[in-house]
Amino acid sequence: MSYCVNPSCAQPKNPNNVAVCQSCGSQLRLKKRYQPLGILGKGGFGATFGAADLSLPGNPICVVKQLRPASDDPQVYKMAKELFEREAETLGKVGNHPQVPRLLDFFEQNKEFYLVQEYVKGYNLHQEVKKKGPFTEAGIKQFLTELLPILEYIHSQKVIHRDIKPANLIRSQKDSKLVLIDFGAVKNQVNSMVANNTQTAFTAFAVGTAGFAVGTAGFAPPEQMAMRPVYASDIYAVGVTCVYLLTAKTPKDIGCDPETGEIAWEPYVDISDSLAKVLKKMLEVSVKHRYKSAEQVLDAMAMAPYEQGMQDSMTTMISGFKTSGSPSTPNCSVSTGLITTSPSTRTRGNTVSSVSTELNKPVSISVNRGGGGGGGAAAPGSVYNMAHGATSTRRRGRGKTAFSDATEPKKKKKKWRSKTLLEAYNKGRRDFAHQELNELNLSKAFLPGINCYDSKLSRINLQGAELSRADLGRADLSEAIMKNANLNEAYLGYANLNGADLRGANLCGANLNYANLQGANLCGVDLNGARITEAQLSVAKTNWRTVMPSGKRGFW
């Protein structure tokens, strides 16, 4: 089928073998090369089509975006053309990133402008949530660690996307990686050049063109809707996207606080305090209080477990002081001083952040976000090691609260057996964080999205288990049997996989930041798109059948 791109055409569908529209007489092929096959999206200022490139072998599919000026005024047309050329130049620049569609062509025809881009086959995240349901906390962490570096790259090119939302993020069918599509117009100051009688028309074109819009209501922050976008505007939109992925609800469905204007999202989610703190700052209505860059969000995510552990550790110590006295002893008071986080120092993927606290004497922690295998652990005797087992996870929504043994030392943990765990999961329980699960036999178990954060899973049998999007962060998986397990998009940050058997496992898109892989068997493992360093792999067992993050077998 051929599709007519004339917006006034009453019957745009045509047989495949005709060159002229049978309804309106317009030429069907664009630039005598691109044959539109159907419409993908439509707005007041243009449309997007799927098209076949007839000039290349196999006639590959591409995406053609059509832009039409909103006025016949020659001055508006001239400036619309300038805007179009700037946009094409910018897309050509940012399209060098593997997770941004490449610009293939741009041209003008019949006073309309066309951008031709690479076609990405796959489902967008809006469709993915509708099909599979909301994301887990592990899924959100993986989402952020994949999207934020893309955003960091785009901002480094001095481009603000302006329309980040689930529908503009496609999970590529080819490699399961996220691809950011539909870029906004380049921020420019040409409005000041427009005469008064054309100001309104040009502004309407500049901010209203499909794909060049100021953003989607609810996902765009106030300063962007007021036509003053900054890089932090994209951070806000990513935060709203996270809320949608966690709840399957749009901002309109959730509503906002009538006093502050903030999205009232917290009662709808069930996440840890550390992630909630990051999202809250991403969603600050005031730009002044919001993260200013993707780099800052990544740094905050890397530091959150340490800060939470320190806070809980000191809470435990203070609690111990208060309960250790006799009835005749006056209440003891402890001065903890202040916890301060210094600005991070980042050098090409590596971040060094220091945290100091005053509790009789200062203690510091160093974190290297770009380190290798087993990285991320503090030196023996540091506050991190003291707090590592004392981390508490307070869950929002539905009144759930889970604490570790360090915060509730007298509470006896449930003794789990394989059968009781599977029964609990099948009844709807997903949270098994901070649990003793050593040596359980869960071979071929169906446990997608399970949360075993900071749990003890030493020598557990998970051979052939379904663990996609599982949260295994900080878990002790030493000597675990995980042959042929599906760990697609699982979160394994800071996990101990010392001596684990992962032969033939699927770890596509998994997050293994700072995981200890000393002696782990990764022969035949699929690591395509996984977050893992070459240094980590150097201490693990691999072979020619191991698929590296690059998609190549046997070598980095």
Side-chain angles (χ1 to χ4, degrees), residues 28 136 236 419 486:
L28 291 174
T136 61
Y236 182 93
K419 182 179 179 181
N486 182 18

Side-chain angles (χ1 to χ4, degrees), residues 229-244:
V230 292
Y231 296 126
S233 303
D234 282 345
I235 301 299
Y236 182 93
V238 173
V240 181
T241 298
C242 287
V243 171
Y244 174 81

Side-chain angles (χ1 to χ4, degrees), residues 255-271:
C256 66
D257 186 322
E259 294 183 2
T260 64
E262 297 173 339
I263 301 171
W265 56 275
E266 292 185 82
Y268 293 88
V269 302
D270 187 13
I271 57 176

Side-chain angles (χ1 to χ4, degrees), residues 158-169:
K158 304 192 185 307
V159 175
I160 305 170
H161 186 280
R162 303 191 192 198
D163 201 18
I164 294 175
K165 58 184 179 181
N168 284 341
L169 289 157

Side-chain angles (χ1 to χ4, degrees), residues 265-294:
W265 56 275
E266 292 185 82
Y268 293 88
V269 302
D270 187 13
I271 57 176
S272 64
D273 276 353
S274 58
L275 179 58
K277 182 181 177 182
V278 172
L279 288 183
K280 187 174 179 63
K281 191 165 182 178
M282 292 175 74
L283 291 165
E284 285 282 358
V285 172
S286 169
V287 180
K288 181 179 179 181
H289 299 119
R290 198 184 308 153
Y291 293 118
K292 302 299 186 295
S293 67

Side-chain angles (χ1 to χ4, degrees), residues 42 126 130 172 213 253 305 333 410 443 482 535 537 542:
K42 191 175 183 181
H126 177 78
K130 293 294 183 185
S172 172
D253 296 329
S333 63
K410 295 181 180 179
S443 175
M482 305 172 78
L537 285 171
T542 60

Side-chain angles (χ1 to χ4, degrees), residues 275-534:
L275 179 58
K277 182 181 177 182
V278 172
L279 288 183
K280 187 174 179 63
K281 191 165 182 178
M282 292 175 74
L283 291 165
E284 285 282 358
V285 172
S286 169
V287 180
K288 181 179 179 181
H289 299 119
R290 198 184 308 153
Y291 293 118
K292 302 299 186 295
S293 67
E295 176 186 15
Q296 288 184 359
V297 185
L298 286 166
D299 289 345
M301 289 179 66
M303 283 302 301
Y306 299 101
E307 292 176 347
Q308 182 70 56
M310 288 174 63
Q311 180 183 341
D312 293 335
S313 175
M314 288 196 298
T315 300
T316 303
M317 289 190 292
I318 294 168
S319 181
F321 276 117
K322 288 183 177 179
T323 58
S324 63
S326 65
S328 61
T329 304
N331 288 336
C332 298
S333 63
V334 179
S335 173
T336 61
L338 299 174
I339 301 176
T340 59
T341 305
S342 68
S344 62
T345 304
R346 181 181 175 88
T347 56
R348 298 189 65 81
N350 296 326
T351 302
V352 180
S353 302
S354 64
V355 178
S356 63
T357 178
E358 293 180 14
L359 188 65
N360 299 328
K361 63 180 181 178
V363 184
S364 65
I365 297 175
S366 293
V367 181
N368 186 327
R369 237 184 54 208
S382 69
V383 170
Y384 167 70
N385 281 344
M386 176 180 64
H388 183 62
T391 304
S392 70
T393 305
R394 298 173 180 84
R395 299 280 170 180
R396 282 168 160 69
R398 296 186 289 281
K400 294 181 182 177
T401 305
F403 295 91
S404 72
D405 279 354
T407 53
E408 290 185 350
K410 295 181 180 179
K411 184 176 179 180
K412 188 176 181 180
K413 285 188 177 179
K414 179 181 177 67
K415 178 66 175 177
W416 289 99
R417 298 182 183 277
S418 304
K419 182 179 179 181
T420 54
L421 185 144
L422 291 171
E423 287 174 349
Y425 182 93
N426 291 333
K427 289 178 180 177
R429 175 167 177 167
R430 296 294 181 268
D431 191 351
F432 297 88
H434 313 293
Q435 300 298 310
E436 297 277 355
L437 305 173
N438 293 324
E439 301 183 0
L440 294 188
N441 184 2
L442 296 171
S443 175
K444 298 183 180 179
F446 185 77
L447 301 166
I450 191 170
N451 176 15
C452 292
Y453 183 86
D454 198 32
S455 290
K456 302 202 180 306
L457 303 160
S458 180
R459 297 180 297 281
I460 192 171
N461 184 355
L462 290 165
Q463 182 170 341
E466 172 56 56
L467 297 164
S468 56
R469 293 188 179 177
D471 187 346
L472 298 167
R474 297 191 179 278
D476 179 8
L477 286 155
S478 55
E479 300 181 35
I481 301 170
M482 305 172 78
K483 288 174 59 179
N484 301 315
N486 182 18
L487 290 152
N488 183 48
E489 297 181 25
Y491 179 70
L492 290 146
Y494 305 92
N496 179 16
L497 289 156
N498 190 348
D501 185 354
L502 288 144
R503 285 176 292 171
N506 175 16
L507 283 160
C508 287
N511 187 336
L512 290 128
N513 276 350
Y514 307 108
N516 177 15
L517 297 176
Q518 185 75 41
N521 193 334
L522 302 181
C523 294
V525 169
D526 190 346
L527 291 164
N528 194 1
R531 292 184 65 82
I532 187 172
T533 67
E534 195 167 0

